[in-house]
Amino acid sequence: MLKWVLDLGLAVLLSGLEVAGLVAFWFVEGMKKWAAKGEPVPGETSRLFLVLSVGSTSSALISYGFSWADLPVACASQAVLAALLVLLLILGAGTECGERISRYRLRRRLRRQRRRWHDSQREVGGHASAPVRRCWRRW
Protein backbone atom coordinates (compact mmCIF):
# COMPACT_ATOMS: atom_id res chain seq x y z
CA MET A 1 0.00 0.00 0.00
CA LEU A 2 2.77 2.41 0.92
CA LYS A 3 4.55 1.65 -2.34
CA TRP A 4 1.45 2.58 -4.40
CA VAL A 5 1.03 5.83 -2.49
CA LEU A 6 4.69 6.66 -3.10
CA ASP A 7 4.33 5.70 -6.76
CA LEU A 8 1.26 7.87 -7.34
CA GLY A 9 2.67 10.72 -5.26
CA LEU A 10 5.93 10.80 -7.23
CA ALA A 11 4.05 10.60 -10.53
CA VAL A 12 1.83 13.56 -9.67
CA LEU A 13 4.58 15.60 -8.01
CA LEU A 14 7.22 15.26 -10.72
CA SER A 15 4.76 15.68 -13.58
CA GLY A 16 3.34 18.78 -11.94
CA LEU A 17 6.79 20.24 -11.36
CA GLU A 18 7.83 19.67 -14.96
CA VAL A 19 4.65 21.17 -16.36
CA ALA A 20 4.94 24.14 -13.97
CA GLY A 21 8.55 24.67 -15.05
CA LEU A 22 7.56 24.62 -18.73
CA VAL A 23 4.71 27.07 -18.13
CA ALA A 24 7.07 29.36 -16.20
CA PHE A 25 9.58 29.22 -19.06
CA TRP A 26 6.92 30.14 -21.63
CA PHE A 27 5.68 32.93 -19.37
CA VAL A 28 9.20 34.40 -19.08
CA GLU A 29 9.70 34.13 -22.85
CA GLY A 30 6.33 35.81 -23.40
CA MET A 31 7.33 38.63 -21.05
CA LYS A 32 10.57 39.11 -23.01
CA LYS A 33 8.57 39.30 -26.25
CA TRP A 34 6.10 41.72 -24.63
CA ALA A 35 8.97 43.90 -23.37
CA ALA A 36 10.38 43.96 -26.90
CA LYS A 37 6.88 45.04 -28.13
CA GLY A 38 6.40 41.97 -30.31
CA GLU A 39 9.81 42.18 -31.94
CA PRO A 40 11.84 38.98 -32.26
CA VAL A 41 13.93 38.22 -29.17
CA PRO A 42 17.48 37.08 -29.95
CA GLY A 43 18.11 33.43 -29.12
CA GLU A 44 14.45 32.63 -28.53
CA THR A 45 14.42 29.51 -30.69
CA SER A 46 17.66 28.12 -29.34
CA ARG A 47 16.46 28.53 -25.75
CA LEU A 48 13.22 26.74 -26.59
CA PHE A 49 15.08 23.86 -28.23
CA LEU A 50 17.46 23.64 -25.28
CA VAL A 51 14.64 23.52 -22.72
CA LEU A 52 12.65 20.95 -24.68
CA SER A 53 15.64 18.69 -25.34
CA VAL A 54 16.95 18.83 -21.76
CA GLY A 55 13.43 18.34 -20.39
CA SER A 56 12.72 15.31 -22.55
CA THR A 57 16.11 13.77 -21.78
CA SER A 58 15.72 14.25 -18.04
CA SER A 59 12.17 12.84 -18.13
CA ALA A 60 13.40 9.78 -20.00
CA LEU A 61 16.23 9.24 -17.51
CA ILE A 62 13.89 9.68 -14.54
CA SER A 63 11.48 7.22 -16.15
CA TYR A 64 14.30 4.71 -16.54
CA GLY A 65 15.21 5.16 -12.88
CA PHE A 66 11.61 4.63 -11.81
CA SER A 67 11.48 1.43 -13.85
CA TRP A 68 14.50 0.16 -11.91
CA ALA A 69 12.84 1.16 -8.64
CA ASP A 70 9.71 -0.76 -9.70
CA LEU A 71 7.41 2.29 -9.66
CA PRO A 72 5.27 1.70 -12.77
CA VAL A 73 2.90 4.69 -12.55
CA ALA A 74 5.70 7.22 -12.03
CA CYS A 75 7.68 5.53 -14.81
CA ALA A 76 4.75 5.73 -17.23
CA SER A 77 3.98 9.37 -16.39
CA GLN A 78 7.60 10.41 -16.98
CA ALA A 79 7.73 8.42 -20.22
CA VAL A 80 4.58 10.15 -21.47
CA LEU A 81 6.01 13.56 -20.54
CA ALA A 82 9.25 12.73 -22.34
CA ALA A 83 7.32 11.69 -25.44
CA LEU A 84 5.25 14.89 -25.39
CA LEU A 85 8.35 17.06 -25.03
CA VAL A 86 10.01 15.24 -27.94
CA LEU A 87 6.87 15.81 -30.00
CA LEU A 88 6.94 19.54 -29.16
CA LEU A 89 10.63 19.61 -30.06
CA ILE A 90 9.98 17.99 -33.43
CA LEU A 91 7.09 20.35 -34.18
CA GLY A 92 9.15 23.39 -33.20
CA ALA A 93 12.14 22.28 -35.25
CA GLY A 94 9.93 21.56 -38.25
CA THR A 95 8.32 25.00 -38.04
CA GLU A 96 11.69 26.74 -37.72
CA CYS A 97 13.12 24.72 -40.59
CA GLY A 98 10.14 25.58 -42.80
CA GLU A 99 10.49 29.29 -42.03
CA ARG A 100 14.21 29.24 -42.82
CA ILE A 101 13.64 27.40 -46.09
CA SER A 102 10.92 29.84 -47.19
CA ARG A 103 13.11 32.81 -46.24
CA TYR A 104 16.03 31.34 -48.21
CA ARG A 105 13.82 30.70 -51.26
CA LEU A 106 12.45 34.27 -51.14
CA ARG A 107 15.94 35.76 -50.99
CA ARG A 108 17.12 33.53 -53.81
CA ARG A 109 14.15 34.52 -55.99
CA LEU A 110 14.71 38.23 -55.30
CA ARG A 111 18.43 37.91 -56.17
CA ARG A 112 17.52 36.15 -59.41
CA GLN A 113 14.98 38.87 -60.30
CA ARG A 114 17.52 41.60 -59.51
CA ARG A 115 20.15 39.88 -61.64
CA ARG A 116 17.72 39.54 -64.57
CA TRP A 117 16.76 43.20 -64.26
CA HIS A 118 20.40 44.30 -64.26
CA ASP A 119 21.14 42.10 -67.28
CA SER A 120 18.18 43.58 -69.17
CA GLN A 121 19.34 47.12 -68.32
CA ARG A 122 22.79 46.41 -69.75
CA GLU A 123 21.23 45.27 -73.00
CA VAL A 124 18.92 48.29 -73.24
CA GLY A 125 21.36 50.79 -71.81
CA GLY A 126 18.86 52.52 -69.53
CA HIS A 127 19.57 53.83 -66.05
CA ALA A 128 16.27 53.38 -64.26
CA SER A 129 16.14 52.44 -60.61
CA ALA A 130 15.93 48.77 -59.71
CA PRO A 131 12.47 47.40 -58.96
CA VAL A 132 11.76 47.21 -55.27
CA ARG A 133 9.65 44.39 -54.05
CA ARG A 134 8.08 44.63 -50.64
CA CYS A 135 7.40 41.39 -48.92
CA TRP A 136 4.69 41.63 -46.32
CA ARG A 137 5.27 39.27 -43.48
CA ARG A 138 2.42 36.90 -42.72
CA TRP A 139 1.40 36.68 -39.10
Side-chain angles (χ1 to χ4, degrees):
M1 178 71 177
L2 182 62
K3 187 175 180 180
W4 280 102
V5 171
L6 177 67
D7 190 16
L8 288 173
L10 282 173
V12 170
L13 179 69
L14 287 178
S15 299
L17 284 174
E18 285 191 42
V19 169
L22 209 56
V23 167
F25 170 76
W26 267 312
F27 177 75
V28 169
E29 287 297 314
M31 292 301 287
K32 287 179 186 176
K33 192 144 186 121
W34 176 75
K37 296 185 176 154
E39 300 281 322
V41 179
E44 178 180 17
T45 306
S46 60
R47 282 191 302 273
L48 176 66
F49 289 164
L50 179 69
V51 165
L52 290 177
S53 61
V54 168
S56 63
T57 304
S58 66
S59 291
L61 289 174
I62 292 170
S63 174
Y64 182 71
F66 283 153
S67 72
W68 273 95
D70 198 30
L71 299 171
V73 176
C75 175
S77 70
Q78 291 300 303
V80 167
L81 270 175
L84 288 175
L85 290 175
V86 167
L87 179 66
L88 284 175
L89 182 64
I90 290 170
L91 289 174
T95 303
E96 181 67 22
C97 185
E99 288 175 1
R100 286 183 186 224
I101 288 172
S102 65
R103 200 175 317 133
Y104 169 77
R105 291 182 70 191
L106 174 68
R107 288 179 182 162
R108 187 172 161 193
R109 184 170 44 89
L110 290 176
R111 277 194 304 263
R112 194 175 25 218
Q113 286 176 351
R114 221 174 292 122
R115 198 176 312 122
R116 284 182 188 153
W117 184 84
H118 284 296
D119 290 343
S120 70
Q121 291 303 309
R122 267 190 235 129
E123 293 170 1
V124 175
H127 291 287
S129 63
V132 175
R133 168 146 177 155
R134 292 193 178 131
C135 177
W136 297 100
R137 188 173 182 184
R138 284 188 281 166
W139 296 101

